Amino acid sequence: AQSVAQPEDQVNVAEGNPLTVKCTYSVSGNPYLFWYVQYPNRGLQFLLKYITGDNLVKGSYGFEAEFNKSQTSFHLKKPSALVSDSALYFCAVRGPGGSARQLTFGSGTQLTVLP
Amino acid sequence: EAGVVQSPRYKIIEKKQPVAFWCNPISGHNTLYWYLQNLGQGPELLIRYENEEAVDDSQLPKDRFSAERLKGVDSTLKIQPAELGDSAVYLCASSKGLAGSYSTDTQYFGPGTRLTVL
């Protein structure tokens, strides 16, 4: 069965500092990895995804994520955090086929950017 | 381009009452999903439609939950009767559903319906 782990429930960072939100995954075959952000009382907004190719993926709002196959990780990063980045972030994984076709989400990481 | 539309945004009902949620996906998106999101957790898939066909409903509690997607566009999710444990956010999402690209498809989510069962 495929799974996603977001080891940190809460991440605090000062505005202007770099931020990292961690994600590790488990899936049979090549993974397809996604990051979403959720603001209060809103649905999930797509940030970026890794399908194949360059391990560094760039997405919306200045976010990027690095795929590391050996460490089965897909950490979300941003060079300089903004207060408006404060939200709930979800990592998700999908396998290439069969029962792994569902998108499996992690439990989320609450990011707080302090002014 | 309009996003995924859901209504109502909030619903409060008493237990044992029925409730229905409506979703209108992004125009041209063939695949539609219903998810359940409990507080502090990630979304969990309830059912996936490809056009009118429910192709994955393995996690839908069929004794009380039902869904339909007539004409392959709008969809309705129903609970009858509702239980206290059904209090959650119900999210609808859609994706293009192009043949051969399902696994890499990006899902776009609506704002959700927050259900409170008293």
Side-chain angles (χ1 to χ4, degrees):
Chain A
Q2 59 193 37
S3 63
V4 174
Q6 293 183 242
E8 300 162 318
D9 292 337
Q10 175 82 40
V11 170
N12 295 327
V13 64
E15 187 175 28
N17 282 2
L19 71 86
T20 299
V21 182
K22 297 179 180 178
C23 170
T24 59
Y25 65 89
S26 173
V27 70
S28 297
N30 292 325
Y32 303 118
L33 295 153
F34 301 77
W35 275 102
Y36 285 85
V37 59
Q38 186 173 33
Y39 295 96
N41 300 316
R42 302 279 295 277
L44 278 70
Q45 296 179 32
F46 170 71
L47 282 178
L48 51 80
K49 67 180 178 182
Y50 171 82
I51 304 302
T52 188
D54 193 346
N55 289 342
L56 185 64
V57 179
K58 294 187 182 296
S60 306
Y61 313 119
F63 283 94
E64 58 189 26
E66 186 169 11
F67 170 64
N68 187 316
K69 187 173 184 177
S70 63
Q71 296 186 7
T72 62
S73 67
F74 189 55
H75 301 331
L76 182 70
K77 301 180 180 182
K78 187 173 182 181
S80 178
L82 300 173
V83 172
S84 57
D85 293 330
S86 298
L88 186 58
Y89 289 80
F90 289 98
C91 180
V93 68
R94 179 191 279 140
S99 61
R101 291 164 71 86
Q102 289 187 13
L103 192 59
T104 299
F105 287 85
S107 56
T109 297
Q110 181 66 49
L111 172 68
T112 300
V113 181
L114 305 169
Chain B
E1 178 181 83
V4 177
V5 179
Q6 290 189 247
S7 68
R9 291 294 312 278
Y10 304 91
K11 189 74 177 179
I12 301 174
I13 61 172
E14 295 188 349
K15 63 181 181 181
K16 300 185 181 180
Q17 294 300 305
V19 65
F21 315 124
W22 175 80
C23 173
N24 179 247
I26 293 173
S27 178
H29 281 196
N30 297 321
T31 306
L32 183 145
Y33 315 76
W34 282 104
Y35 285 88
L36 167 70
Q37 185 179 22
N38 286 307
L39 188 64
Q41 297 182 24
E44 299 174 11
L45 182 69
L46 290 172
I47 189 168
R48 171 168 66 95
Y49 282 92
E50 291 183 7
N51 299 304
E52 303 88 357
E53 183 181 1
V55 296
D56 185 354
D57 63 355
S58 57
Q59 299 184 82
L60 188 72
K62 298 181 183 63
D63 57 337
R64 297 184 300 107
F65 286 65
S66 64
E68 61 182 11
R69 190 184 184 198
L70 301 176
K71 300 181 181 179
V73 181
D74 295 1
S75 178
T76 302
L77 178 69
K78 298 179 181 178
I79 309 175
Q80 183 171 12
E83 297 179 352
L84 295 176
D86 296 332
S87 294
V89 175
Y90 292 82
L91 295 166
C92 180
S94 70
S95 65
K96 290 183 179 179
L98 299 174
S101 69
Y102 169 73
S103 289
T104 60
D105 251 0
T106 298
Q107 297 181 23
Y108 296 92
F109 286 78
T113 297
R114 182 177 297 277
L115 174 67
T116 302
V117 182
L118 303 175

